[in-house]
Amino acid sequence: MKVEINPDLCQGHGRCYDLAPGLFGDDDEGYGQVLGDGAVPPGKEQDARLAVLNCPEHAVELVEKG
Amino acid sequence: MAVDDRFTQDSRETGEDEVLGTRSEIITGPVSDWATDFSHLEPEWSADPYPIQDDLRQRCPIAHTGRFGGAWLPTRYEDVAAIAYDTERFSSRSIILSNFRPPRELAPIGGSPPISSDPPFHHDARKLLLPAFTKNAVARQEPATRAFCHSLVDSFAGRDVVDAAYDYAQHIPMRVIANMLGFPPEDGPQFREFVEDLLEGINLPPDERIERVSRLFDYLLAQVNDHLDQPRDDLTTYLINAELYGNKLDPSHVIGTMALLLIAGIDTTWSAIGASLWHLAKTPGDRERLVAEPGLLPTATEEFLRAYAPVTMARLVKEDMHWHGVDMKADDWILLSFPAANRDPAQFDQAAEVVIDRQVNRHAAFGLGIHRCVGSHLARMELRVALEVWLDRIPAFTLADRGAVTWSAGQIRGPRTLPLRIG
């Protein structure tokens, strides 16, 4: 699994980097950014799901690595 | 260095915006039917708007009023979200619903950019502010905020009852934003007057309203001139020097943005802190659990923001249109109630309950879309620190007098009198 942020939808609420700081960070303007390649390490699946489910803009997605 | 002469002449004297706007008849008094005659300025709404919103969501999800020259009140999450996202059909040129509509020519900039701005200008004006309000940037304010919260609690020594709204909540955002803007910290009491003038004086006669708002702009102009004489590392100097499209900002942009940061930064967070303490004072189970399990504070604060979202915004309809079942007219107001959206059972399980360990909480307390509150990271930091310090220092507290609690009237709702028994 990996996380993705749709930059067209992200408005910088920061819920993803609040809830899953190991998976997300922010840029100089506060918009969310996926750290590294977005791969969700074992044990971090729940953090990833919470980030997805708490984004007010529905900008965060969890996708199967393909 | 050339003298900066943008602020030597009062820009209001050259503008004719007030003349060109539209004034509507001031209608006050009890509401006959909330579906057809709503008013967010009546005491019934201030005291407890949620049953009214819940009722409207069931029987008339986009309510109307003839007051304020015509306004609509959507109470479903999906309608609130759709309007927040639709900047093509809904303008932000005035975000405080009143009996005065600023002229259309004020768009896309509006009086207090970027909150009052529409695309494409909005994006560029907002971009100027974003770096100062990131989570990392506002973290620099945290140690001083925490120390200040402690000093407020220190001042309660010897008292059994304190007013958590007046003696605690209001001072925290005042101090933080004064520090960020570089204003004298002792000016706090004036800020309270500015907030009340701008956000609660909605139904005052227009001339009185203009005069009151002028006090704020006189104050801000004096602060700008002080910063021109003595530039320093703060938001005021930053805005004076900021450039857009290769030029320094218009004086009205500088002053309008300062007004926004001052006003929007104060009573919103004051309300959120107060409403959270009010809930904990009247809900011993939640208070005891939060004291015992401080790890719940992150979900609890998000839940307080959802259930007691302080901020309602306004929009103006751009053109006549049939929208989601109602006939909106150009220049009708929209009262964009994020609090009502946050209690829509179609969007939230147990929408009417406060669930302090709610794991999934896609609330809209800070708005949705391009106007997401630019100060949301600052507000969250202040709310978290204010609650951490209070719960650490005063773990046991109750409402001293349930009937004495008062709430602000208008678009920003929170406790303004909140006597709590702490001893």
Side-chain angles (χ1 to χ4, degrees), chain B residues 197-276:
Chain B
D197 288 347
L198 221 65
L199 298 173
E200 300 195 27
I202 299 299
N203 272 334
L204 288 171
D207 291 335
E208 192 176 333
R209 201 166 146 67
I210 289 165
E211 190 190 313
R212 288 187 178 211
V213 172
S214 290
R215 288 186 226 161
L216 166 62
F217 286 84
D218 291 342
Y219 176 85
L220 295 175
L221 197 58
Q223 290 301 326
V224 166
N225 282 306
D226 183 56
H227 280 73
L228 283 170
D229 291 343
Q230 292 176 290
R232 34 210 197 257
D233 182 17
D234 58 31
L235 279 172
T236 301
T237 295
Y238 171 77
L239 286 168
I240 290 169
N241 293 329
E243 293 190 5
L244 201 53
Y245 316 126
N247 296 307
K248 292 206 169 171
L249 305 180
D250 281 343
S252 60
H253 185 158
V254 173
I255 300 273
T257 298
M258 289 169 68
L260 165 64
L261 297 179
L262 184 67
I263 301 300
I266 291 177
D267 65 334
T268 50
T269 309
W270 166 13
S271 295
I273 296 168
S276 302

Side-chain angles (χ1 to χ4, degrees), chain A residues 18 29 52 54-55 57, chain B residues 85 127 135 361-362 372:
Chain A
D18 275 350
E29 296 181 343
V52 171
N54 281 285
C55 176
E57 309 288 349
Chain B
Y85 288 125
K127 206 174 164 63
K135 190 176 177 183
N361 201 345
R362 231 173 213 151
R372 186 270 303 169

Side-chain angles (χ1 to χ4, degrees), chain B residues 29-87:
Chain B
V31 168
S32 56
D33 178 349
W34 286 91
T36 58
D37 182 41
F38 75 81
S39 171
H40 61 306
L41 302 179
E42 293 306 310
E44 195 181 344
W45 178 276
S46 308
D48 191 4
Y50 306 119
I52 300 169
Q53 294 166 1
D54 291 344
D55 171 57
L56 289 175
R57 206 181 290 110
Q58 296 272 331
R59 68 181 174 100
C60 182
I62 304 178
H64 185 259
T65 187
R67 300 180 193 218
F68 317 108
W72 300 93
L73 170 61
T75 47
R76 287 190 300 219
Y77 177 93
E78 65 169 294
D79 290 333
V80 171
I83 292 168
Y85 288 125
D86 191 348
T87 56

Side-chain angles (χ1 to χ4, degrees), chain A residues 29-53:
Chain A
E29 296 181 343
Y31 293 102
Q33 287 196 319
V34 168
L35 298 180
D37 65 358
V40 180
K44 293 287 180 192
E45 295 87 352
Q46 178 62 5
D47 285 0
R49 275 188 207 98
L50 283 177
V52 171
L53 292 171

